């Protein structure tokens, strides 16, 4: 069991409680100070709180709930923009500090269709996870209301939408075991800032993740209509979606109207399971529309 004490509030987390494990609590016994001049309260905002012991009793069959696991930390996180160093990965760093100075909360710039997303381990090869719920830790120091109307998705399934509640730092959104490779948060308009996102599933349902290799990494790459010769940036191992990372390619506009292309050379006979393209997320994201992906000996000029 873990416990924390903040301003006049004493909280006891039962095993797995932070992942949403529920216990059938039959009774709570509180031993007060015998020299007590304090007050016995679970939550007391204006007076001191002192407790000598708290015992929580459950029936035998309720004491061993099914183990749950948070699979988010093994994934990769993205967001539509970043402000003041609030990188997307902060929401899956395993740290649940809810104050900005803890360097563990994300922050986007204001905008429309703001999104934060985690791609779960193995998503590149189609691994899907049955997600029971998503647990979100909101900021507790400032601007807490920003979380209002945040939608929570597993793939393209909407688990639910957050309604901000004053004083509430944790939000549990049930997904009912819906299977998906990604979990995302979206806001139609505003700033997304969250300190931790936990993707919770039953331990016995953890999918098998096959061994796979990115065979494009560091291989010879080329593209048409390109004066900058930066085709290799798409196979440099850096998955940043920002052009300033110097890790995204671009080509000149085709004046002839016959389109353009990018290509990576693989060993002959390579069996390809899937192709993953990391798009720009800072601007011009719509350029990806209509892109065709080919595997095989498709000849292109240039
Ligand atoms: Ca965090």
């Amino acid at each position: 069991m873990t416990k924390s004490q903040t301003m006049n509030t004493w909280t006891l987390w039962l095993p797995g409680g932070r992942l949403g494990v529920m216990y059938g609590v039959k009774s709570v016994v509180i031993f007060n100070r015998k020299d007590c001049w304090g007050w016995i309260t679970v939550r007391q905002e204006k007076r001191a709180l002192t407790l000598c012991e708290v015992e929580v009793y459950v029936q035998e069959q309720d004491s061993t709930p099914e183990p749950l696991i948070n699979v988010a930390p093994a994934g990769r996180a993205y967001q539509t923009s970043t402000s003041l160093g609030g990188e997307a990965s902060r929401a899956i760093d395993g740290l649940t500090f809810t104050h900005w100075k803890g360097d563990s909360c994300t922050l986007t710039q204001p905008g429309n269709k703001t999104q934060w997303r985690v791609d779960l381990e193995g998503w590149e090869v189609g691994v899907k996870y049955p997600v029971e719920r998503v647990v979100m830790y909101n900021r507790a120091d400032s601007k807490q209301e920003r979380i209002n109307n945040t939608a929570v998705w597993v793939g393209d399934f909407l688990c639910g939408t957050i309604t901000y509640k004053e004083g509430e730092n944790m939000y549990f959104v049930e997904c009912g075991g819906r299977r998906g490779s990604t979990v995302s948060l979206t806001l139609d308009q505003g700033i997304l800032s969250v300190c931790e996102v936990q993707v919770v599933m039953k331990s016995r349902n953890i999918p098998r993740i096959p061994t796979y290799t990115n065979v494009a990494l560091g291989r010879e790459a080329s593209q048409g209509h390109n004066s900058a010769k930066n085709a290799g940036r798409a196979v440099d191992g850096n998955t940043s979606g920002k052009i300033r990372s110097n890790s995204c390619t671009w080509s000149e506009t085709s004046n002839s109207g016959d389109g353009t292309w990018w290509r990576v050379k693989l060993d002959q006979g390579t069996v390809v399971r899937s192709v993953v393209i990391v798009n720009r997320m800072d601007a011009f994201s719509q350029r990806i529309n209509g892109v065709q992906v080919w595997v095989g000996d498709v000849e292109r000029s240039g």
Side-chain angles (χ1 to χ4, degrees):
M1 297 181 185
T2 60
K3 55 189 175 183
S4 61
Q5 188 160 13
T6 58
M7 286 294 290
N8 298 335
T9 302
W10 188 93
T11 303
L12 174 70
W13 289 96
L14 301 177
R18 291 180 186 273
L19 299 180
V21 171
M22 306 294 283
Y23 292 80
V25 178
K26 299 302 179 187
S27 63
V28 178
V29 178
I30 300 174
F31 292 83
N32 193 22
R33 285 175 54 168
K34 290 182 178 177
D35 60 340
C36 185
W37 44 265
W39 296 262
I40 303 172
T41 320
V42 174
R43 186 181 181 89
Q44 176 59 275
E45 296 182 353
K46 295 183 179 179
R47 295 174 175 173
L49 173 64
T50 177
L51 304 170
C52 296
E53 185 68 14
V54 176
E55 297 177 345
V56 180
Y57 289 94
V58 300
Q59 286 189 346
E60 190 68 25
Q61 64 268 29
D62 296 326
S63 62
T64 54
E66 185 162 6
L68 300 174
I69 188 170
N70 169 26
V71 295
R76 291 195 295 192
Y78 299 89
Q79 58 190 8
T80 43
S81 62
T82 298
S83 181
L84 301 176
E87 299 289 345
S89 59
R90 287 182 170 187
I92 57 169
D93 62 7
L95 303 176
T96 55
F97 301 139
T98 53
H99 286 232
W100 176 255
K101 289 185 177 178
D103 294 334
S104 192
C105 301
T106 69
L107 185 66
T108 69
Q109 298 172 359
N112 298 321
K113 305 294 182 186
T114 315
Q115 184 195 52
W116 176 94
R117 187 184 85 236
V118 58
D119 297 332
L120 302 174
E121 185 180 14
W123 71 274
E124 300 95 329
V125 288
V127 174
K128 293 184 183 300
Y129 294 72
V131 178
E132 293 298 322
R133 70 182 58 88
V134 176
V135 182
M136 301 169 59
Y137 286 73
N138 191 25
R139 281 183 63 175
D141 54 344
S142 177
K143 310 290 185 184
Q144 296 95 321
E145 68 281 358
R146 284 173 175 165
I147 202 169
N148 195 42
N149 292 327
T150 296
V152 181
W153 307 77
V154 172
D156 58 2
F157 175 77
L158 177 62
C159 296
T161 303
I162 299 291
T163 299
Y164 168 65
K165 185 178 179 183
E166 187 173 358
E168 190 70 62
N169 289 339
M170 291 178 66
Y171 291 85
F172 295 76
V173 179
E174 299 297 322
C175 299
R178 180 61 63 129
R179 294 169 60 83
S181 300
T182 64
V183 168
S184 57
L185 313 177
T186 60
L187 258 182
D188 284 342
Q189 201 280 326
I191 295 173
L192 257 178
S193 181
V194 65
C195 297
E196 194 71 5
V197 176
Q198 297 174 330
V199 178
V200 180
M201 57 171 292
K202 296 175 181 175
S203 296
R204 63 182 165 90
N205 290 338
I206 293 176
R208 187 183 69 84
I209 300 174
T211 301
Y212 56 93
T213 303
N214 173 16
V215 294
L217 187 64
R219 300 300 296 253
E220 177 186 341
S222 55
Q223 61 183 344
H225 305 292
N226 174 47
S227 57
K229 304 297 182 188
N230 55 28
R233 291 181 174 184
V235 290
D236 65 0
N238 183 345
T239 56
S240 170
K242 302 173 187 174
I243 196 69
R244 288 185 177 179
S245 67
N246 293 325
S247 187
C248 300
T249 73
W250 75 86
S251 71
E252 303 294 334
T253 301
S254 169
N255 294 323
S256 60
D258 59 352
T260 186
W261 53 270
W262 176 95
R263 181 168 62 193
V264 62
K265 188 174 183 180
L266 306 178
D267 290 336
Q268 195 164 15
T270 299
V271 177
V272 177
R273 173 73 181 267
S274 65
V275 177
V276 176
I277 300 173
V278 178
N279 193 22
R280 278 187 67 174
M281 297 190 73
D282 52 352
F284 303 111
S285 302
Q286 74 282 0
R287 286 177 176 170
I288 200 73
N289 281 338
V291 165
Q292 297 178 337
V293 180
W294 299 74
V295 176
D297 299 323
V298 179
E299 291 298 327
R300 289 286 184 272
S301 60

